[in-house]
Amino acid sequence: MVAALHAIVGDITTLDVDAIVNAANPGLTGGGGVDGAIHAAAGPELHEECLALDGCATGDAKITRGYDLPARYVIHTVGPVWHGGEHGEAELLASCYRRAIEVAAQNHLSTLAFPNVSTGVYGFPRELAPPIAVAAVRDALDHAPSIRGVIFCSYTTRDQVLYEDALLDHP
Ligand code: AR6
């Protein structure tokens, strides 16, 4: 079955999916932005489980339970910090999406939602991220038969439009 891809605008912490993806830092220590919102909504047990994971490399992903979130799991990925685009940023961002899909598939999940990884504090240009994210997800889904639905959850309508354009450009 082909997975359905959707671009929505909203607060990712409210989504009732198998897993939401977190835009975390390498220590998995919690922070601001979507990371802070996810930890606040999940409760302190998420922080405890994260600290036991021994961090996460940039471009990799690790899974925890979702605790008080509607989502059953959180897949924590660490996006690249933007340093001008010549330091492997695009490849590392693609790796975040690919690894998150792989971790979801290993855990037999069927629905997941991504935030716009790296486009906040980490400074990845908002126009450049959606085509990379959509292409990486589509490629990874070829090897993830359990996954039936993927949501790209933007925080602004402007970002949502960029994702809708990317979905049209990567059929
Ligand atoms: N739901 C959906 N999207 C959101 C939400 C939300 N509740 N809140 C923010 N966004 P950022 P990064 C969007 O800064 O750039 C943390 O401190 C936001 O508009 O959260 O990967 C970590 O600990 C933006 O488009 O993540 C790291 O240190 C997107 O989420 C660092 O920030 C990502 O912005 C990671 O930076």
Side-chain angles (χ1 to χ4, degrees), residues 7-142:
I8 69 164
V9 61
D11 178 353
I12 201 168
T13 65
T14 66
L15 298 182
D16 185 2
V17 287
D18 287 339
I20 59 172
V21 176
N22 184 17
N25 58 60
L28 300 180
T29 52
V34 71
D35 193 9
I38 288 172
H39 276 272
E45 288 168 299
L46 178 63
H47 191 241
E48 284 177 28
E49 187 176 356
C50 281
L51 292 185
L53 289 176
D54 197 25
C56 182
T58 301
D60 200 1
K62 292 189 176 180
I63 192 167
T64 65
R65 291 169 58 193
Y67 298 100
D68 293 341
L69 289 163
R72 290 195 291 131
Y73 296 95
V74 180
I75 298 174
H76 306 263
T77 191
V78 180
V81 177
W82 182 259
H83 289 297
E86 302 292 327
H87 296 82
E89 293 95 333
E91 292 78 7
L92 286 166
L93 187 67
S95 177
C96 289
Y97 287 88
R98 184 171 60 248
R99 285 290 301 133
I101 294 278
E102 287 172 2
V103 168
Q106 284 160 5
N107 287 274
H108 313 292
L109 306 187
S110 69
T111 54
L112 73 162
F114 285 95
N116 206 355
V117 177
S118 278
T119 63
V121 173
Y122 281 0
F124 205 103
R126 290 173 180 278
E127 326 74 62
L128 301 184
I132 295 167
V134 170
V137 165
R138 286 213 196 278
D139 284 350
L141 285 173
D142 288 343

Side-chain angles (χ1 to χ4, degrees), residues 127 130-132 134-135 138 161-171:
E127 326 74 62
I132 295 167
V134 170
R138 286 213 196 278
V161 168
L162 292 169
Y163 270 96
E164 282 173 348
D165 289 347
L167 287 169
L168 287 173
D169 288 346
H170 296 81

